[in-house]
Amino acid sequence: MFTRHFQGHGWRWSLVALSWLPVVVTFNENVCHIAKIEGSSMRPTLNPNECSSSSDWVLLWKFNIRNAYNLNRDDVILFKCPTDPTKTYCKRIKGIQYDSIKTRYPYPREIVNIPRSHLWVEGDNVFHSVDSNDFGPISAGLAIGKVIKVIWPPSRWGTDVKSTTGRQQLITNQAD
Amino acid sequence: MAPPTPILCKDQIQGEHQKLVRDSKFCSLKSLTQYQCNITAYSPEEYICVPFKRLFEECITANKTNKRSFDNGKSQKQ
Amino acid sequence: MQSLLQSWVKTATSALRVVCFVHIVHTYVYEFTETRGESMLPTLAARNDYVHALKTYRDGRGCKIGDCIVAAKPNDPNHRVCKRITGMPGDIILVDPSVGTNVFNSSSAMNTEATSDGDNDGYSEADEAFNSFIKVPQGHVWVTGDNLSHSLDSRTYNSLPMGLIKGKIVAANDFNEPFLGGSKGDFWGFRKIQNTYVNEQ
């Protein structure tokens, strides 16, 4: 008798939990999420230690992220790689829509004007980064989320992700 | 905006096309029909469409990637 | 009072769960949505046409040349566009074969003809158009609307990153049509949207 009663409860509770799953997924997809950062392109801001095997885990803000005015210069964002949609890249925004940017070697032109709702992204580790200098300005529609805080490992809680690093003075003609 | 892509002229693709045809096991001609439509003057619900046929040459190369070279576009009256 | 509050909370949380479930289905599985605009005439009507989109094709997964897709507009990501894929990564395609073949502006076509006769250089806009090719970059597709004369597409904004593809359109309903016996098909003009890339005899 007792076991049957218990089983009924277990069944019921798992159904309730299952019905909340879409809410959790929706929240993770559209509001807030946690992501692991891999690779060295954002050194020294993220994954600063070369030998350490542990990577940084960050808190991502996703709500309304695709609106151009929610993405500013010096924000660190995650976005779908334009040349391979299955990959996710993490870079710093160096220019927003209507900016004029001075480019670096692989890009064929010296100065590029960023079109509407597009972003110019570069890694902080300038020499180990595949970024907008290779694939051009990216559409804001490819953005997945904005990094707001490093949450793991705890020793790196105080990291300032907004600190301006990487190449400087890229903007030749600031649009305001 | 897409990555910087150069606009190629006929002479530039000719070499690539010849290489493609030489390397490939099999090439076939494909087509895709699109249209040129215009709303008629009489009513906004009516429109006239003229088919616009686009031709593609599809080649299957040894590494299994398909490459297509667009040959020509011709428009025909319906 | 307590029970009233409880029932309110219960209703609200159920509604939340249903809304989120529908949202997940719309993002990852299937969506039935209205389309507007003349760019896909005659495949899709300019208004009152509803399309069935399969979201498993998002990010361009399994998309082929000739497929009809729905994607976010690159320069305005909150807007959706319906286009047909006319070039896959690595393909070499002609940028705009439709330049100079606009059958509707016959008067302006005659004008250009007249001026080129005057200049006598024998080099028109159409010749230029037939000499501009592009190689579609990795991870991108070339898209054009089926109505080449009224479509804002890759000819304007260059190749589209596959990451912006939201799904593939497999069928459509036209609510201008009657439920049964319409010209396009039964059940409010239900018809499948076919891949138009075919073998040439």
mmCIF file with all atom_site columns, all heavy atoms in Angstrom, chain B residues 18-33:
data_model
loop_
_atom_site.group_PDB
_atom_site.id
_atom_site.type_symbol
_atom_site.label_atom_id
_atom_site.label_alt_id
_atom_site.label_comp_id
_atom_site.label_asym_id
_atom_site.label_entity_id
_atom_site.label_seq_id
_atom_site.pdbx_PDB_ins_code
_atom_site.Cartn_x
_atom_site.Cartn_y
_atom_site.Cartn_z
_atom_site.occupancy
_atom_site.B_iso_or_equiv
_atom_site.pdbx_formal_charge
_atom_site.auth_seq_id
_atom_site.auth_comp_id
_atom_site.auth_asym_id
_atom_site.auth_atom_id
_atom_site.pdbx_PDB_model_num
ATOM 1   N N   . GLN B 1 18 ? 37.890 25.386 -65.411 1.00 0.00 ? 18 GLN B N   1
ATOM 2   C CA  . GLN B 1 18 ? 38.570 24.333 -66.166 1.00 0.00 ? 18 GLN B CA  1
ATOM 3   C C   . GLN B 1 18 ? 39.161 23.280 -65.243 1.00 0.00 ? 18 GLN B C   1
ATOM 4   O O   . GLN B 1 18 ? 39.048 22.081 -65.483 1.00 0.00 ? 18 GLN B O   1
ATOM 5   C CB  . GLN B 1 18 ? 39.684 24.947 -67.030 1.00 0.00 ? 18 GLN B CB  1
ATOM 6   C CG  . GLN B 1 18 ? 39.163 25.466 -68.357 1.00 0.00 ? 18 GLN B CG  1
ATOM 7   C CD  . GLN B 1 18 ? 40.140 26.384 -69.041 1.00 0.00 ? 18 GLN B CD  1
ATOM 8   O OE1 . GLN B 1 18 ? 41.271 26.527 -68.583 1.00 0.00 ? 18 GLN B OE1 1
ATOM 9   N NE2 . GLN B 1 18 ? 39.710 27.011 -70.122 1.00 0.00 ? 18 GLN B NE2 1
ATOM 10  N N   . LYS B 1 19 ? 39.745 23.755 -64.138 1.00 0.00 ? 19 LYS B N   1
ATOM 11  C CA  . LYS B 1 19 ? 40.342 22.849 -63.157 1.00 0.00 ? 19 LYS B CA  1
ATOM 12  C C   . LYS B 1 19 ? 39.255 21.946 -62.564 1.00 0.00 ? 19 LYS B C   1
ATOM 13  O O   . LYS B 1 19 ? 39.435 20.747 -62.401 1.00 0.00 ? 19 LYS B O   1
ATOM 14  C CB  . LYS B 1 19 ? 41.004 23.677 -62.057 1.00 0.00 ? 19 LYS B CB  1
ATOM 15  C CG  . LYS B 1 19 ? 41.825 22.869 -61.082 1.00 0.00 ? 19 LYS B CG  1
ATOM 16  C CD  . LYS B 1 19 ? 42.545 23.807 -60.116 1.00 0.00 ? 19 LYS B CD  1
ATOM 17  C CE  . LYS B 1 19 ? 43.244 23.038 -59.011 1.00 0.00 ? 19 LYS B CE  1
ATOM 18  N NZ  . LYS B 1 19 ? 42.308 22.421 -58.079 1.00 0.00 ? 19 LYS B NZ  1
ATOM 19  N N   . LEU B 1 20 ? 38.132 22.558 -62.296 1.00 0.00 ? 20 LEU B N   1
ATOM 20  C CA  . LEU B 1 20 ? 37.012 21.829 -61.707 1.00 0.00 ? 20 LEU B CA  1
ATOM 21  C C   . LEU B 1 20 ? 36.527 20.742 -62.645 1.00 0.00 ? 20 LEU B C   1
ATOM 22  O O   . LEU B 1 20 ? 36.335 19.580 -62.254 1.00 0.00 ? 20 LEU B O   1
ATOM 23  C CB  . LEU B 1 20 ? 35.883 22.829 -61.407 1.00 0.00 ? 20 LEU B CB  1
ATOM 24  C CG  . LEU B 1 20 ? 34.650 22.310 -60.694 1.00 0.00 ? 20 LEU B CG  1
ATOM 25  C CD1 . LEU B 1 20 ? 35.010 21.949 -59.277 1.00 0.00 ? 20 LEU B CD1 1
ATOM 26  C CD2 . LEU B 1 20 ? 33.571 23.357 -60.704 1.00 0.00 ? 20 LEU B CD2 1
ATOM 27  N N   . VAL B 1 21 ? 36.355 21.084 -63.907 1.00 0.00 ? 21 VAL B N   1
ATOM 28  C CA  . VAL B 1 21 ? 35.871 20.115 -64.886 1.00 0.00 ? 21 VAL B CA  1
ATOM 29  C C   . VAL B 1 21 ? 36.894 18.990 -65.067 1.00 0.00 ? 21 VAL B C   1
ATOM 30  O O   . VAL B 1 21 ? 36.538 17.823 -65.202 1.00 0.00 ? 21 VAL B O   1
ATOM 31  C CB  . VAL B 1 21 ? 35.564 20.822 -66.225 1.00 0.00 ? 21 VAL B CB  1
ATOM 32  C CG1 . VAL B 1 21 ? 35.214 19.818 -67.309 1.00 0.00 ? 21 VAL B CG1 1
ATOM 33  C CG2 . VAL B 1 21 ? 34.420 21.800 -66.040 1.00 0.00 ? 21 VAL B CG2 1
ATOM 34  N N   . ARG B 1 22 ? 38.185 19.337 -65.016 1.00 0.00 ? 22 ARG B N   1
ATOM 35  C CA  . ARG B 1 22 ? 39.235 18.343 -65.185 1.00 0.00 ? 22 ARG B CA  1
ATOM 36  C C   . ARG B 1 22 ? 39.257 17.380 -63.995 1.00 0.00 ? 22 ARG B C   1
ATOM 37  O O   . ARG B 1 22 ? 39.385 16.175 -64.158 1.00 0.00 ? 22 ARG B O   1
ATOM 38  C CB  . ARG B 1 22 ? 40.582 19.064 -65.299 1.00 0.00 ? 22 ARG B CB  1
ATOM 39  C CG  . ARG B 1 22 ? 41.677 18.212 -65.934 1.00 0.00 ? 22 ARG B CG  1
ATOM 40  C CD  . ARG B 1 22 ? 42.930 19.021 -66.176 1.00 0.00 ? 22 ARG B CD  1
ATOM 41  N NE  . ARG B 1 22 ? 43.449 19.620 -64.970 1.00 0.00 ? 22 ARG B NE  1
ATOM 42  C CZ  . ARG B 1 22 ? 43.687 20.915 -64.819 1.00 0.00 ? 22 ARG B CZ  1
ATOM 43  N NH1 . ARG B 1 22 ? 43.436 21.753 -65.809 1.00 0.00 ? 22 ARG B NH1 1
ATOM 44  N NH2 . ARG B 1 22 ? 44.168 21.401 -63.698 1.00 0.00 ? 22 ARG B NH2 1
ATOM 45  N N   . ASP B 1 23 ? 39.096 17.934 -62.789 1.00 0.00 ? 23 ASP B N   1
ATOM 46  C CA  . ASP B 1 23 ? 39.197 17.112 -61.581 1.00 0.00 ? 23 ASP B CA  1
ATOM 47  C C   . ASP B 1 23 ? 37.956 16.271 -61.309 1.00 0.00 ? 23 ASP B C   1
ATOM 48  O O   . ASP B 1 23 ? 38.015 15.282 -60.603 1.00 0.00 ? 23 ASP B O   1
ATOM 49  C CB  . ASP B 1 23 ? 39.434 18.008 -60.353 1.00 0.00 ? 23 ASP B CB  1
ATOM 50  C CG  . ASP B 1 23 ? 40.819 18.604 -60.375 1.00 0.00 ? 23 ASP B CG  1
ATOM 51  O OD1 . ASP B 1 23 ? 41.604 18.189 -61.229 1.00 0.00 ? 23 ASP B OD1 1
ATOM 52  O OD2 . ASP B 1 23 ? 41.097 19.480 -59.536 1.00 0.00 ? 23 ASP B OD2 1
ATOM 53  N N   . SER B 1 24 ? 36.835 16.695 -61.837 1.00 0.00 ? 24 SER B N   1
ATOM 54  C CA  . SER B 1 24 ? 35.597 16.066 -61.402 1.00 0.00 ? 24 SER B CA  1
ATOM 55  C C   . SER B 1 24 ? 35.286 14.822 -62.206 1.00 0.00 ? 24 SER B C   1
ATOM 56  O O   . SER B 1 24 ? 35.718 14.659 -63.354 1.00 0.00 ? 24 SER B O   1
ATOM 57  C CB  . SER B 1 24 ? 34.453 17.062 -61.523 1.00 0.00 ? 24 SER B CB  1
ATOM 58  O OG  . SER B 1 24 ? 34.312 17.411 -62.864 1.00 0.00 ? 24 SER B OG  1
ATOM 59  N N   . LYS B 1 25 ? 34.541 13.947 -61.576 1.00 0.00 ? 25 LYS B N   1
ATOM 60  C CA  . LYS B 1 25 ? 34.165 12.702 -62.216 1.00 0.00 ? 25 LYS B CA  1
ATOM 61  C C   . LYS B 1 25 ? 32.926 12.901 -63.075 1.00 0.00 ? 25 LYS B C   1
ATOM 62  O O   . LYS B 1 25 ? 32.720 12.220 -64.060 1.00 0.00 ? 25 LYS B O   1
ATOM 63  C CB  . LYS B 1 25 ? 33.857 11.651 -61.141 1.00 0.00 ? 25 LYS B CB  1
ATOM 64  C CG  . LYS B 1 25 ? 35.073 11.236 -60.359 1.00 0.00 ? 25 LYS B CG  1
ATOM 65  C CD  . LYS B 1 25 ? 34.656 10.379 -59.172 1.00 0.00 ? 25 LYS B CD  1
ATOM 66  C CE  . LYS B 1 25 ? 35.868 9.892  -58.405 1.00 0.00 ? 25 LYS B CE  1
ATOM 67  N NZ  . LYS B 1 25 ? 35.551 9.604  -57.014 1.00 0.00 ? 25 LYS B NZ  1
ATOM 68  N N   . PHE B 1 26 ? 32.112 13.821 -62.658 1.00 0.00 ? 26 PHE B N   1
ATOM 69  C CA  . PHE B 1 26 ? 30.807 13.923 -63.300 1.00 0.00 ? 26 PHE B CA  1
ATOM 70  C C   . PHE B 1 26 ? 30.280 15.347 -63.168 1.00 0.00 ? 26 PHE B C   1
ATOM 71  O O   . PHE B 1 26 ? 30.240 15.899 -62.077 1.00 0.00 ? 26 PHE B O   1
ATOM 72  C CB  . PHE B 1 26 ? 29.854 12.935 -62.614 1.00 0.00 ? 26 PHE B CB  1
ATOM 73  C CG  . PHE B 1 26 ? 28.464 12.989 -63.135 1.00 0.00 ? 26 PHE B CG  1
ATOM 74  C CD1 . PHE B 1 26 ? 28.175 12.531 -64.418 1.00 0.00 ? 26 PHE B CD1 1
ATOM 75  C CD2 . PHE B 1 26 ? 27.435 13.490 -62.357 1.00 0.00 ? 26 PHE B CD2 1
ATOM 76  C CE1 . PHE B 1 26 ? 26.882 12.573 -64.894 1.00 0.00 ? 26 PHE B CE1 1
ATOM 77  C CE2 . PHE B 1 26 ? 26.133 13.527 -62.838 1.00 0.00 ? 26 PHE B CE2 1
ATOM 78  C CZ  . PHE B 1 26 ? 25.864 13.065 -64.120 1.00 0.00 ? 26 PHE B CZ  1
ATOM 79  N N   . CYS B 1 27 ? 29.902 15.930 -64.269 1.00 0.00 ? 27 CYS B N   1
ATOM 80  C CA  . CYS B 1 27 ? 29.281 17.252 -64.232 1.00 0.00 ? 27 CYS B CA  1
ATOM 81  C C   . CYS B 1 27 ? 27.903 17.172 -64.871 1.00 0.00 ? 27 CYS B C   1
ATOM 82  O O   . CYS B 1 27 ? 27.701 16.439 -65.833 1.00 0.00 ? 27 CYS B O   1
ATOM 83  C CB  . CYS B 1 27 ? 30.118 18.257 -65.020 1.00 0.00 ? 27 CYS B CB  1
ATOM 84  S SG  . CYS B 1 27 ? 31.558 18.825 -64.124 1.00 0.00 ? 27 CYS B SG  1
ATOM 85  N N   . SER B 1 28 ? 26.964 17.890 -64.304 1.00 0.00 ? 28 SER B N   1
ATOM 86  C CA  . SER B 1 28 ? 25.628 17.879 -64.894 1.00 0.00 ? 28 SER B CA  1
ATOM 87  C C   . SER B 1 28 ? 25.054 19.284 -64.872 1.00 0.00 ? 28 SER B C   1
ATOM 88  O O   . SER B 1 28 ? 25.455 20.123 -64.072 1.00 0.00 ? 28 SER B O   1
ATOM 89  C CB  . SER B 1 28 ? 24.720 16.927 -64.119 1.00 0.00 ? 28 SER B CB  1
ATOM 90  O OG  . SER B 1 28 ? 24.635 17.340 -62.784 1.00 0.00 ? 28 SER B OG  1
ATOM 91  N N   . LEU B 1 29 ? 24.117 19.492 -65.755 1.00 0.00 ? 29 LEU B N   1
ATOM 92  C CA  . LEU B 1 29 ? 23.501 20.809 -65.865 1.00 0.00 ? 29 LEU B CA  1
ATOM 93  C C   . LEU B 1 29 ? 22.210 20.829 -65.060 1.00 0.00 ? 29 LEU B C   1
ATOM 94  O O   . LEU B 1 29 ? 21.375 19.944 -65.185 1.00 0.00 ? 29 LEU B O   1
ATOM 95  C CB  . LEU B 1 29 ? 23.222 21.106 -67.336 1.00 0.00 ? 29 LEU B CB  1
ATOM 96  C CG  . LEU B 1 29 ? 22.978 22.563 -67.690 1.00 0.00 ? 29 LEU B CG  1
ATOM 97  C CD1 . LEU B 1 29 ? 24.192 23.396 -67.330 1.00 0.00 ? 29 LEU B CD1 1
ATOM 98  C CD2 . LEU B 1 29 ? 22.650 22.692 -69.164 1.00 0.00 ? 29 LEU B CD2 1
ATOM 99  N N   . LYS B 1 30 ? 22.082 21.825 -64.190 1.00 0.00 ? 30 LYS B N   1
ATOM 100 C CA  . LYS B 1 30 ? 20.889 21.937 -63.344 1.00 0.00 ? 30 LYS B CA  1
ATOM 101 C C   . LYS B 1 30 ? 20.238 23.288 -63.609 1.00 0.00 ? 30 LYS B C   1
ATOM 102 O O   . LYS B 1 30 ? 20.879 24.208 -64.104 1.00 0.00 ? 30 LYS B O   1
ATOM 103 C CB  . LYS B 1 30 ? 21.295 21.866 -61.875 1.00 0.00 ? 30 LYS B CB  1
ATOM 104 C CG  . LYS B 1 30 ? 22.003 20.600 -61.491 1.00 0.00 ? 30 LYS B CG  1
ATOM 105 C CD  . LYS B 1 30 ? 21.032 19.603 -60.965 1.00 0.00 ? 30 LYS B CD  1
ATOM 106 C CE  . LYS B 1 30 ? 21.738 18.434 -60.313 1.00 0.00 ? 30 LYS B CE  1
ATOM 107 N NZ  . LYS B 1 30 ? 20.797 17.576 -59.633 1.00 0.00 ? 30 LYS B NZ  1
ATOM 108 N N   . SER B 1 31 ? 19.006 23.390 -63.222 1.00 0.00 ? 31 SER B N   1
ATOM 109 C CA  . SER B 1 31 ? 18.356 24.686 -63.389 1.00 0.00 ? 31 SER B CA  1
ATOM 110 C C   . SER B 1 31 ? 17.477 25.009 -62.193 1.00 0.00 ? 31 SER B C   1
ATOM 111 O O   . SER B 1 31 ? 17.049 24.128 -61.444 1.00 0.00 ? 31 SER B O   1
ATOM 112 C CB  . SER B 1 31 ? 17.523 24.701 -64.660 1.00 0.00 ? 31 SER B CB  1
ATOM 113 O OG  . SER B 1 31 ? 16.327 23.990 -64.459 1.00 0.00 ? 31 SER B OG  1
ATOM 114 N N   . LEU B 1 32 ? 17.261 26.291 -61.990 1.00 0.00 ? 32 LEU B N   1
ATOM 115 C CA  . LEU B 1 32 ? 16.428 26.768 -60.892 1.00 0.00 ? 32 LEU B CA  1
ATOM 116 C C   . LEU B 1 32 ? 15.608 27.918 -61.466 1.00 0.00 ? 32 LEU B C   1
ATOM 117 O O   . LEU B 1 32 ? 16.176 28.849 -62.041 1.00 0.00 ? 32 LEU B O   1
ATOM 118 C CB  . LEU B 1 32 ? 17.331 27.235 -59.752 1.00 0.00 ? 32 LEU B CB  1
ATOM 119 C CG  . LEU B 1 32 ? 16.757 27.492 -58.385 1.00 0.00 ? 32 LEU B CG  1
ATOM 120 C CD1 . LEU B 1 32 ? 17.849 27.326 -57.353 1.00 0.00 ? 32 LEU B CD1 1
ATOM 121 C CD2 . LEU B 1 32 ? 16.153 28.851 -58.253 1.00 0.00 ? 32 LEU B CD2 1
ATOM 122 N N   . THR B 1 33 ? 14.309 27.810 -61.375 1.00 0.00 ? 33 THR B N   1
ATOM 123 C CA  . THR B 1 33 ? 13.473 28.826 -61.996 1.00 0.00 ? 33 THR B CA  1
ATOM 124 C C   . THR B 1 33 ? 12.978 29.826 -60.960 1.00 0.00 ? 33 THR B C   1
ATOM 125 O O   . THR B 1 33 ? 12.397 29.450 -59.955 1.00 0.00 ? 33 THR B O   1
ATOM 126 C CB  . THR B 1 33 ? 12.283 28.169 -62.705 1.00 0.00 ? 33 THR B CB  1
ATOM 127 O OG1 . THR B 1 33 ? 12.784 27.195 -63.608 1.00 0.00 ? 33 THR B OG1 1
ATOM 128 C CG2 . THR B 1 33 ? 11.486 29.201 -63.480 1.00 0.00 ? 33 THR B CG2 1
#
